Amino acid sequence: MTTAAAVAPHRPIPRRSTPPGSATVLGGLIGALIALWPGSLPRDVVTAAVLTGVCVAVMTAVGRALGSARPERLFASWSVTSLAVAALVAGSIANTLWQNAIRSDIGIAGVEPAYTVALTAAGCAGFVAVAWFGRRAAMAATAALATVVLFGAPATSAAASTDATPAAADIDRAATVLTETWVREGGLHRGAVVIAVPTGSGWVDPQATTAMRARLHGDVEFLSLPYASASSWRVFVSDRGSAATATVALLRHVLDARDALPPGLARPRVYLYGQSLGALGADRARAWADARRPGAVAGTVLAGVPADTVDPRGGGSSRIVFANASDPVTRWSTASVWRPPTRPAQTRIVGARMRTPPWLPVVSFVQTSVDLLGALDGPAGTGHRYGPEQGALP
């Protein structure tokens, strides 16, 4: 009698997990460098963690794609990946120390150790999501990075609408009415008039007007002509020229009214002031006056000028440009991707003396873009908030 031999059931051999290749790891490290490079302003843990995870994921995807195109591996080991994780931890600690340093500069509380943990965890999550789960995670990370970088930056905006700014004829009529009201209320008999160019939403910094009124001993009138009904960044995208159109119209009417006074009568000095988007309008009006009415403007004060938007030389009538050392608006431009940001002539660096991060191509552009998100969160003298120094008329 024959006995059938027992057949052992077939068991698949466990597949050994393959460590990521050199290009993938290097890409993740470059992403960590971009995300953890120091910024100029305090940053909350959520923003910092999202930036870290997204940058690591995006650059890991780039490295993985390059590695697929060149399949030979310089190295592929778990020990190398572990060293990369150690580098991420070190970078997270350095970023935390930097955050505490700049927070100390302006007298606010430092971050907790959980900040370091959050950055490290986010970086690891971004790397794992792409290194082991692939293309979909990379696409999601790329979309998230674009959102983080561009949310606060005046770059793309399909939502921006030119309907937010009135037509030139309407602006001119409004300038006429405002000037007539100023004349009727005795403005021509004041010592000075300041044409204060508002931001896109119509706001004028009271810190500036209060300081200017004190400097001129109260003998001054302020005229402000709104030129839009949207936030500054939307107007910056859709129709930044509207600020100049409105300011030139108002300045022209004010100068015409002043010049109509009989000879021998004292005439008020005319000053121009603008902050942020309003600075564009003020400087364009200054240039118009220098060309058409030389000597008519006594001086111009600009604060928080968006980078690369006004005459960098500033020739002609007197001009003062104020820029907080930590203001990302004065440094953000597409040109800063490949060159350090520049400032207009006559710029005075003001505000809190905070540590300034070194510039790196591309990396600093990303960091400055993220800093825009919190540019208005701090006290006067930090970010895009200015103080009474704006009253220093030329």
Side-chain angles (χ1 to χ4, degrees), residues 163-166 200-202 227-231 234-235:
D163 292 336
T165 58
S201 57
Y227 50 86
S229 57
S231 58
R234 291 187 62 182
V235 182

Side-chain angles (χ1 to χ4, degrees), residues 13-318:
I13 299 174
R15 184 177 180 181
R16 187 177 180 183
S17 180
T18 304
S22 58
T24 304
V25 174
L26 181 60
L29 284 175
I30 293 174
L33 169 66
I34 294 172
L36 299 174
W37 193 256
S40 61
L41 290 172
R43 192 171 293 169
D44 65 88
V45 65
V46 174
T47 300
V50 169
L51 178 65
T52 304
V54 169
C55 284
V56 169
V58 169
M59 294 310 299
T60 298
V62 172
R64 183 179 182 185
L66 294 176
S68 298
R70 297 175 61 87
E72 64 273 12
R73 296 187 176 196
L74 297 180
F75 55 81
S77 68
W78 290 115
S79 60
V80 172
T81 303
S82 299
L83 288 175
V85 172
L88 172 64
V89 173
S92 299
I93 293 173
N95 186 275
T96 303
L97 294 174
W98 175 267
Q99 276 291 310
N100 284 333
I102 61 175
R103 286 165 179 263
S104 175
D105 288 343
I106 57 176
I108 63 175
V111 296
E112 300 293 332
Y115 191 93
T116 303
V117 175
L119 298 188
T120 304
C124 290
F127 181 79
V128 169
V130 175
W132 276 279
F133 296 100
R135 187 173 300 175
R136 290 184 179 180
M139 292 174 63
T142 303
L145 179 61
T147 301
V148 170
V149 170
L150 300 177
F151 181 81
T156 60
S157 176
S161 170
T162 55
D163 292 336
T165 58
D170 295 330
I171 287 177
D172 191 74
R173 280 193 293 271
T176 300
V177 171
L178 180 57
T179 303
E180 290 174 348
T181 302
W182 170 67
V183 172
R184 188 168 56 250
E185 294 179 353
L188 286 171
H189 304 294
R190 289 279 200 169
V193 57
V194 176
I195 296 178
V197 189
T199 60
S201 57
W203 179 78
V204 175
D205 193 344
Q207 295 256 24
T209 56
T210 299
M212 290 178 185
R213 183 173 285 111
R215 184 176 180 84
L216 295 169
H217 308 289
D219 191 19
V220 59
E221 289 284 352
F222 292 91
L223 300 180
S224 182
L225 180 63
Y227 50 86
S229 57
S231 58
S232 288
W233 74 266
R234 291 187 62 182
V235 182
F236 185 93
V237 173
S238 62
D239 186 15
R240 69 178 73 175
S242 60
T245 300
T247 311
V248 168
L250 181 56
L251 177 60
R252 185 179 69 251
H253 286 295
V254 166
L255 294 178
D256 287 345
R258 188 186 69 168
D259 293 344
L261 286 171
L265 289 182
R267 287 166 166 74
R269 300 183 304 281
V270 178
Y271 295 97
L272 292 165
Y273 161 74
Q275 184 184 124
S276 195
L277 182 61
L280 275 70
D283 200 62
R284 303 282 171 81
R286 182 187 71 90
W288 174 88
D290 288 344
R292 305 288 183 87
R293 311 284 279 270
V297 174
T300 301
V301 177
L302 310 177
V305 180
D308 299 336
T309 58
V310 301
D311 180 3
R313 296 167 297 177
S317 58
S318 298

Side-chain angles (χ1 to χ4, degrees), residues 40-42 101-108 322-328 331 343 348-357 378-389:
S40 61
L41 290 172
I102 61 175
R103 286 165 179 263
S104 175
D105 288 343
I106 57 176
I108 63 175
F322 291 109
N324 282 335
S326 58
D327 187 355
R331 292 180 280 108
R343 300 189 189 275
R348 299 182 185 180
I349 304 300
V350 295
R353 296 300 177 182
M354 299 172 63
R355 291 166 174 81
T356 303
T382 63
H384 199 50
R385 290 195 177 277
Y386 289 81
E389 71 280 346

